Amino acid sequence: MEKVTADQAKTRLPSISLSPKKTRAVAPSVSSVRKRNLIGYIFILPWLIGFVGLIAGPLLFSLFASFTDYNITSKMNFIGLENYKRMFTLDDMFWTALWNTLYYVIFSVPLTTAGAIMIAVLLNQQVKGMKVFRTIYYLPSILSGVAVYFLWMQLLSPSTGLVNQFLHIFGIEGPSWLFDPNWTKPALILMKMWSVGGGMLLYLGRMQGISPSLYEAADLDGASGFRKFFHITLPMITPIIFFDIITSTIGSFQIFQEAYVMTQNGQGGPGNSLLFYNLHMWNNAFKSFDMGYASAMAWFLFIIIMALTFTNLKVGKKWVYYDGGDDK
């Protein structure tokens, strides 16, 4: 048997390196990057087509139309700021429609928000059969709009409506509601509060996500139910309140169907008391075919909503509390 010396063994055995191998990162080629980008654009192409054709395109067209006397059939003649001048100085119904809309927004948004919170607090109790009550309160928010409007026209009937009959039990003479200019807008606000189930569901979901340890600590300190609501529940649901106020404000400014269905031929009810901004804009666009003026009205409404939304976003930083911190 051949004798192998130590030096010979070293030369025969492969050297094993214990240090990790350094791998050089290979940058992707330009062609592969372009290929991946192309695949991504192909996947979002349906959305891009819809955005350009259904949102961006009509948006830019309406902006240009607001500076013309466009009426669908005639050529679009550029007239500058004449439509906006007419809006503020010549159209008396513009200010009526704007006031009616502001009235509806100022009263409906706080009342529906407060109503949704109160119902959510009641439905958050651990009571047997609570799921049935939650379903009952949520059902009005999923009913068809037009059907609900006809239902409320019957309920608010001055002579045979169930609302006035209920008030008559307590010796109260009910108003004429949709036939009295002083009560038409409160009637619509009452109808709006009947369908606060959507907002209630948001608040209920947030309340059930509040840590029970907060309430247990409050119980140890002897806090009452009202103190627990105002110092625990209310601060913890402020993000939902903030979201609800913004979306409700935008939706209230766009009120249209109620006034169009519940007034004769969409004229705005008795004394133009239900001539809301969108209804007046719709009448100018599709009854008078004054598309240029209607486009100017639409852009003015857009500016109002954007200004209020921006203000809410700025003010919301001072009173909205987030679990993960205030900088959201």
Side-chain angles (χ1 to χ4, degrees), residues 44-83:
I44 67 173
L45 185 61
W47 180 87
L48 287 176
I49 295 174
F51 176 77
V52 174
L54 301 177
I55 299 177
L59 197 67
L60 295 175
F61 178 82
S62 68
L63 178 60
F64 176 74
S66 67
F67 299 102
T68 67
D69 60 352
Y70 180 53
N71 64 356
I72 299 179
T73 59
S74 65
K75 183 180 178 181
M76 300 177 68
N77 297 318
F78 186 81
I79 58 174
L81 298 175
E82 289 299 320
N83 285 327

Side-chain angles (χ1 to χ4, degrees), residues 64-328:
F64 176 74
S66 67
F67 299 102
T68 67
D69 60 352
Y70 180 53
N71 64 356
I72 299 179
T73 59
S74 65
K75 183 180 178 181
M76 300 177 68
N77 297 318
F78 186 81
I79 58 174
L81 298 175
E82 289 299 320
N83 285 327
Y84 295 92
K85 180 180 178 181
R86 169 188 168 190
M87 185 190 309
F88 297 121
T89 59
L90 301 177
D91 186 5
D92 294 334
M93 291 296 100
F94 167 80
W95 296 108
T96 301
L98 184 61
W99 160 246
N100 290 336
T101 306
L102 288 174
Y103 180 100
Y104 182 80
V105 172
I106 291 171
F107 287 98
S108 68
V109 173
L111 289 175
T112 54
T113 301
I117 294 174
M118 292 176 59
I119 296 175
V121 171
L122 294 175
L123 297 181
N124 194 35
Q125 308 302 316
Q126 300 299 325
V127 179
K128 186 177 180 180
M130 186 57 69
K131 292 182 179 180
V132 178
F133 290 100
R134 292 171 184 171
T135 304
I136 293 173
Y137 277 97
Y138 181 69
L139 279 177
S141 63
I142 62 175
L143 296 178
S144 173
V146 176
V148 170
Y149 305 151
F150 280 107
L151 171 64
W152 274 95
M153 289 173 68
Q154 298 296 324
L155 293 174
L156 296 174
S157 175
S159 56
T160 61
L162 293 180
V163 175
N164 281 359
Q165 290 185 12
F166 176 77
L167 294 176
H168 184 70
I169 298 176
F170 301 95
I172 301 174
E173 184 179 356
S176 298
W177 297 112
L178 297 175
F179 298 94
D180 187 348
N182 296 321
W183 285 95
T184 51
K185 287 186 285 292
L188 263 63
I189 295 173
L190 176 64
M191 183 180 68
K192 182 67 176 179
M193 292 193 63
W194 181 68
S195 58
V196 296
M200 173 273 298
L201 198 64
L202 293 175
Y203 292 115
L204 181 62
R206 182 66 186 97
M207 289 177 187
Q208 293 187 346
I210 299 175
S211 176
S213 61
L214 297 176
Y215 295 104
E216 293 172 359
D219 290 332
L220 293 176
D221 292 338
S224 63
F226 285 99
R227 292 184 65 87
K228 286 190 288 185
F229 172 76
F230 285 104
H231 292 280
I232 298 177
T233 305
L234 199 59
M236 295 298 290
I237 65 173
T238 49
I240 306 300
I241 297 176
F242 178 61
F243 171 79
D244 191 22
I245 289 176
I246 290 181
T247 55
S248 297
T249 301
I250 295 174
S252 297
F253 266 105
Q254 296 175 343
I255 179 174
F256 167 75
Q257 291 184 1
E258 296 88 334
Y260 182 77
V261 174
M262 302 176 73
T263 60
Q264 186 176 6
N265 299 323
Q267 295 300 319
N272 294 316
S273 58
L274 290 181
L275 184 65
F276 294 112
Y277 194 94
N278 271 10
L279 181 60
H280 184 46
M281 181 173 60
W282 190 91
N283 288 333
N284 279 284
F286 297 102
K287 287 189 175 181
S288 302
F289 294 102
D290 196 349
M291 290 294 181
Y293 182 63
S295 297
M297 290 185 63
W299 276 96
F300 182 70
L301 180 62
F302 174 77
I303 293 172
I304 293 176
I305 292 176
M306 286 297 295
L308 289 176
T309 303
F310 180 78
T311 303
N312 283 329
L313 291 174
K314 287 295 183 181
V315 176
K317 296 180 180 179
K318 299 182 179 180
W319 61 273
V320 179
Y321 169 79
Y322 295 96
D323 293 344
D326 297 332
D327 297 332
K328 296 291 183 181

